[in-house]
């Protein structure tokens, strides 16, 4: 009987250690996912502000503006594909579609697109950050 009584505390300690390790790994994974989500949120807002800044300087070059809008939309689309957060994914896809939906073919459409991006970019950033909350 003595050997069994000595083993019970060792077995209990082993089970407790395994439970602590499993719980700790789970918490570390949750923290890591939270950091990834925060980074993706910052990146999404940065893509919108970067695209808006580029667009504002391209009024005289409709082709370059079109490319800047397409590139910004593509970057947001890539981020949406990688986003673990469903809300962020949906918001990024929506803004991406809007950016890629502009059709800048001449000076007039360039001015219209630049005005739309300038007025809506704050709203887009807010949508993305709200999706992260």
């Amino acid at each position: 009987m003595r050997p069994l009584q000595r083993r019970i505390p060792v077995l209990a300690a082993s089970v407790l250690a395994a439970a602590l390790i499993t719980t700790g790994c789970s918490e570390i994974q949750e923290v890591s996912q939270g950091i990834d989500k925060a980074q993706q949120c910052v990146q999404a807002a940065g893509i919108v502000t970067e695209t808006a800044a580029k667009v504002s300087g391209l009024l005289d070059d409709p082709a370059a503006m079109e490319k800047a809008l397409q590139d910004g939309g593509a970057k947001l689309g890539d981020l949406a594909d990688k986003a673990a957060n469903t809300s962020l994914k949906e918001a990024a896809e929506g803004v991406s579609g809007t950016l890629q939906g502009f059709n800048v073919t001449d000076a007039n459409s360039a001015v219209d697109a630049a005005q739309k991006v300038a007025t809506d970019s704050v709203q887009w950033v807010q949508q993305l950050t709200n999706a992260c909350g």
Side-chain angles (χ1 to χ4, degrees), residues 106-123:
D106 56 24
N108 288 335
S109 60
V111 170
D112 291 345
Q115 288 175 342
K116 179 86 171 143
V117 169
T119 58
D120 290 356
S121 62
V122 173
Q123 177 187 356

Side-chain angles (χ1 to χ4, degrees), residues 31-104:
V31 168
S32 176
Q33 288 172 344
I35 291 169
D36 289 345
K37 178 181 169 185
Q39 287 175 335
Q40 289 174 338
C41 292
V42 169
Q43 287 175 338
I47 291 167
V48 171
T49 55
E50 177 185 323
T51 302
K54 284 181 183 177
V55 165
S56 69
L58 297 171
L59 287 172
D60 296 333
D61 191 350
M65 182 183 289
E66 175 79 15
K67 182 172 179 0
L69 290 165
Q70 295 299 316
D71 290 349
K75 285 180 185 178
L76 273 176
D78 290 344
L79 185 136
D81 290 342
K82 296 174 187 171
N85 178 332
T86 304
S87 298
L88 176 59
K89 179 180 179 67
E90 291 172 356
E93 286 173 343
V95 176
S96 171
T98 301
L99 289 173
Q100 291 182 324
F102 284 103
N103 187 18
V104 182

